[in-house]
Amino acid sequence: MKDNLVTQSNDLVSASYIMSVSEKELLLACISKIDSRPNRPEQVTKQTKFTISIDTMKELFYKDTNRDNAYRDLKKSADRLFDREVTIKLDNNKTLRTRFVSGIVFDPDQAQITVTFAEDILPYLTELSVNFTKYRLHEVAELSSVHAIRLYELIIMWTNQYQYSKELDLNEFKEIMGVQNKYKQFGQLRERVIETAINEINEKTNYKVNGSYKKVRRSYVSLTVKFHKKIL
């Protein structure tokens, strides 16, 4: 599982949604079981089911958790993931509002859950030939901040587009990170979201990231991130 590929449309990578790190870990584990290549022998449909066991989650994320607590944590994450929605920007000033999953079967006896993806989200996870981002699941396994995972995905996307510096309007950045209704003070946003994410990526991944800010009059208006792969 650690070497499984997580592949997502770029539109999903830059979409807006609120999610805890444990929900994101479960979502990524499910996505990594999808063969996203076009014209694959078995098509992924709204009936296709993906089973995640606590053994899988312990291998990837729950390393210091015993079996009983692992299933409890898995169920809690799945319950929350079921309620999560995502907003994706479309062409012609349209937006899509959908959910990630349409159904979850809980199996405490086998210590596993089975997930079905929502029909509207499948085009952003399957049959991908252009404008997509992919990375190995183990690349984010050590990240404990959901904002670090989201920023890492953005960095992978930008790097694939041969961009090594990116300026983001702070309101746009907050929307992507799902904190548009939080951290009204810039200092809180910088400390709890931006610097936490950058520090974790620098410490636990193979990327080096720096952040700087643009101020207009008395207000900070944008974030610029510069990044490159570390030389090993």
Side-chain angles (χ1 to χ4, degrees):
M1 277 291 292
K2 287 184 178 181
D3 288 328
N4 280 19
L5 280 172
V6 175
T7 308
Q8 305 169 79
S9 161
N10 290 346
D11 290 332
L12 182 56
V13 171
S14 57
S16 175
Y17 55 88
I18 299 170
M19 192 169 290
S20 70
V21 67
S22 60
E23 296 160 42
K24 179 70 172 176
E25 290 169 347
L26 173 57
L27 178 63
L28 294 179
C30 293
I31 292 175
S32 76
K33 302 192 80 170
I34 297 176
D35 184 347
S36 62
R37 296 171 299 175
N39 303 316
R40 61 192 297 275
E42 295 182 7
Q43 297 297 310
V44 177
T45 71
K46 62 182 180 180
Q47 280 83 35
T48 306
K49 301 183 186 302
F50 300 91
T51 297
I52 301 293
S53 69
I54 63 166
D55 291 333
T56 294
M57 296 304 287
K58 280 176 65 64
E59 175 193 357
L60 294 168
F61 306 112
Y62 301 170
K63 295 181 177 63
D64 299 322
T65 306
N66 64 40
R67 190 173 181 83
D68 290 339
N69 289 341
Y71 182 75
R72 178 204 63 193
D73 294 343
L74 178 60
K75 183 180 185 304
K76 185 185 297 184
S77 298
D79 279 331
R80 291 178 176 173
L81 180 60
F82 181 77
D83 292 327
R84 294 302 189 189
E85 60 181 46
V86 54
T87 301
I88 302 172
K89 292 181 180 179
L90 306 177
D91 294 335
N92 301 317
N93 202 32
K94 296 178 181 179
T95 57
L96 168 66
R97 182 182 177 188
T98 185
R99 295 183 182 274
F100 287 97
V101 302
S102 60
I104 302 175
V105 175
F106 298 92
D107 187 348
D109 293 338
Q110 297 298 319
Q112 64 186 25
I113 64 167
T114 300
V115 172
T116 307
F117 282 101
E119 183 175 11
D120 282 340
I121 207 69
L122 286 177
Y124 300 93
L125 299 173
T126 64
E127 301 294 317
L128 300 175
S129 59
V130 295
N131 299 322
F132 63 87
T133 297
K134 64 180 180 180
Y135 59 87
R136 299 286 177 185
L137 193 55
H138 69 78
E139 294 176 37
V140 297
E142 299 300 321
L143 299 177
S144 59
S145 161
V146 68
H147 306 307
I149 298 175
R150 294 295 315 275
L151 181 57
Y152 184 86
E153 291 177 335
L154 289 168
I155 287 170
I156 298 299
M157 178 181 73
W158 294 327
T159 301
N160 290 341
Q161 297 168 344
Y162 303 102
Q163 299 183 72
Y164 303 96
S165 176
K166 186 73 175 181
E167 182 177 9
L168 288 170
D169 176 88
L170 280 179
N171 288 329
E172 178 187 1
F173 176 78
K174 289 177 68 176
E175 187 175 341
I176 293 173
M177 293 292 154
V179 295
Q180 57 267 45
N181 297 319
K182 298 175 68 176
Y183 309 124
K184 298 190 182 299
Q185 298 296 321
F186 171 74
Q188 292 179 325
L189 176 68
R190 180 176 58 191
E191 177 184 354
R192 300 180 186 179
V193 178
I194 301 171
E195 291 184 355
T196 296
I198 289 175
N199 290 341
E200 267 216 297
I201 291 172
N202 286 338
E203 180 183 349
K204 299 177 180 177
T205 77
N206 60 345
Y207 276 84
K208 175 67 176 177
V209 186
N210 292 299
S212 60
Y213 310 97
K214 181 179 179 180
K215 192 174 185 180
V216 176
R217 297 184 178 89
R218 297 184 177 181
S219 300
Y220 288 94
V221 296
S222 68
L223 160 69
T224 297
V225 286
K226 297 181 180 181
F227 41 89
H228 62 268
K229 269 194 171 181
K230 297 174 183 174
I231 300 175
L232 302 179

